Amino acid sequence: MDRTERFYRIELLIKRQSGVSFEQLLSELEVSPATLKRDLQYLRDRMDAPIVYARDENVYRFADGGAVAVNGGPAARPGAKTHELPGVWFSEKELHALLTMHQLIAGLDDGGVLGRHLQPLLDKLHGMLGASGDEAQTLMRRVRIVNPAKRAVASRWFEEAVSAVLSRRRLTISYYTRSKRSESERVLSPQRLLHYRNTWDLDAWCHASGGLRRFALDAVRTAKVLDEPARELPMSEVESALDQGYGIFGGARLRQATLHFSAEAAPWVAQEEWHPQQQLTPEADGSLRMRLPYSDHTELVMDVLRHGPNVRVLSPPELVEQVREQLQQTLAAYGDKAAES
């Protein structure tokens, strides 16, 4: 570890153990006695660290009962002088939170695009905690991120999309439309990236269709950032066009759905957000009514069917019919399979 990491590690060890011996510091930092003495002297003289040597216990500790603030935290004792290392420093809990966040990012990062840029930071965080390679691996196994039905995005096209969004330049892509089973060339003015249900989408102004569209990045076959500046749109316009419907589907024509969940499903559904504008009404028998807007029924029907007999669609009639048709098609498909066997 470098000198900056050693400074942090020395303070963390002293704070965590309320006193640590010179031999313990040498063992943890794996430096020479001369280097450790220089580090301690530098922390006292240049960083104003209140490190004192308790001769009777043969340990180093903080003066005034450990009045040390990490990242702006409070002093240990009212009225005591607070010490804080300059720059960006983190408490042990904050370091653990950052490591957990790194695991979350790794779960979103199919091709290692973000990981290779964040690896130096991860190494530094482990160094601050004093974790060896084996310890770091064990620590990271304590947090497991599962992303079912994840659709992978090619790293090079993801990088192009990110670059276009942040540099505010146009992006040309070759895009495969699954419903039409055809590929087309598009020039886009990217507005924002969206991560939804374990895959990435790009919200952009499509210059071919002359409107805002949402593109699944896993359906991008090629991508290249252009020198031409992107068409700028107010984010309120993007949100109004693409965020008002249900799930991934936008649309200006909104309808209201009313769903009724059984008493068995209600405790779980009550904690879920199906839509930011949903309205939940508990019933006397423990069941639950949900009212929410939608524009396209596709994703809403899938989520309704996920709850099986524990949910009924009360309105509108067209949504009731769409759920009924989907159930009939599913039963027919199973019937055909049974007949074949």
Side-chain angles (χ1 to χ4, degrees), residues 91-322:
S91 68
E92 192 170 6
K93 289 183 178 178
E94 289 168 334
L95 285 171
H96 290 154
L98 285 170
L99 290 173
T100 303
M101 184 176 70
H102 185 277
Q103 288 291 80
L104 286 170
I105 292 172
L108 307 180
D109 192 22
D110 295 300
V113 179
L114 301 173
R116 66 172 177 264
H117 298 297
L118 290 175
Q119 189 60 45
L121 172 62
L122 180 63
D123 294 339
K124 190 175 289 290
L125 293 177
H126 286 147
M128 289 176 176
L129 283 169
S132 65
D134 291 340
E135 289 172 332
Q137 288 295 325
T138 301
L139 182 65
M140 300 315 291
R141 289 176 65 186
R142 299 291 181 183
V143 180
R144 182 169 177 252
I145 309 298
V146 178
N147 292 311
K150 180 169 64 175
R151 303 202 311 267
V153 177
S155 60
R156 52 181 174 168
W157 311 140
F158 180 78
E159 284 188 289
E160 291 290 307
V162 170
S163 178
V165 169
L166 299 182
S167 65
R168 311 307 306 128
R169 289 186 288 166
R170 297 191 185 192
L171 182 74
T172 179
I173 65 171
S174 177
Y175 189 73
Y176 180 74
T177 304
R178 295 182 177 92
S179 59
K180 299 178 181 178
R181 298 184 180 181
S182 63
E183 195 169 313
S184 60
E185 302 297 319
R186 311 286 186 102
V187 175
L188 311 177
S189 284
Q191 303 300 316
R192 66 178 181 181
L193 284 166
L194 171 70
H195 188 266
Y196 178 75
R197 296 204 176 188
N198 299 323
T199 195
W200 287 98
D201 294 278
L202 176 67
D203 292 341
W205 177 270
C206 177
H207 291 272
S209 61
L212 282 165
R213 299 289 185 270
R214 181 164 285 163
F215 298 89
L217 286 184
D218 66 293
V220 171
R221 298 294 185 255
T222 63
K224 182 180 179 181
V225 180
L226 304 176
D227 291 332
E228 191 174 356
R231 174 176 176 171
E232 293 289 356
L233 297 174
M235 192 53 62
S236 58
E237 183 177 338
V238 177
E239 293 168 349
S240 177
L242 300 177
D243 294 352
Q244 299 305 307
Y246 184 82
I248 203 67
F249 295 95
R253 181 175 174 267
L254 293 180
R255 288 163 286 185
Q256 294 292 324
T258 303
L259 312 177
H260 181 264
F261 293 91
S262 68
E264 289 75 21
W268 282 269
V269 177
Q271 302 301 316
E272 298 174 356
E273 182 182 282
W274 287 41
H275 192 280
Q277 297 175 23
Q278 69 186 30
Q279 299 173 13
L280 301 178
T281 305
E283 304 285 1
D285 62 353
S287 61
L288 183 74
R289 286 189 182 227
M290 176 187 286
R291 183 174 169 82
L292 73 165
Y294 76 101
S295 55
D296 185 290
H297 70 272
T298 307
E299 193 171 347
L300 181 55
V301 169
M302 289 192 294
D303 284 340
V304 167
L305 293 175
R306 179 167 57 91
H307 283 271
N310 287 313
V311 61
R312 282 193 306 122
V313 179
L314 302 182
S315 67
E318 58 265 32
L319 182 60
V320 175
E321 186 59 30
Q322 284 150 355

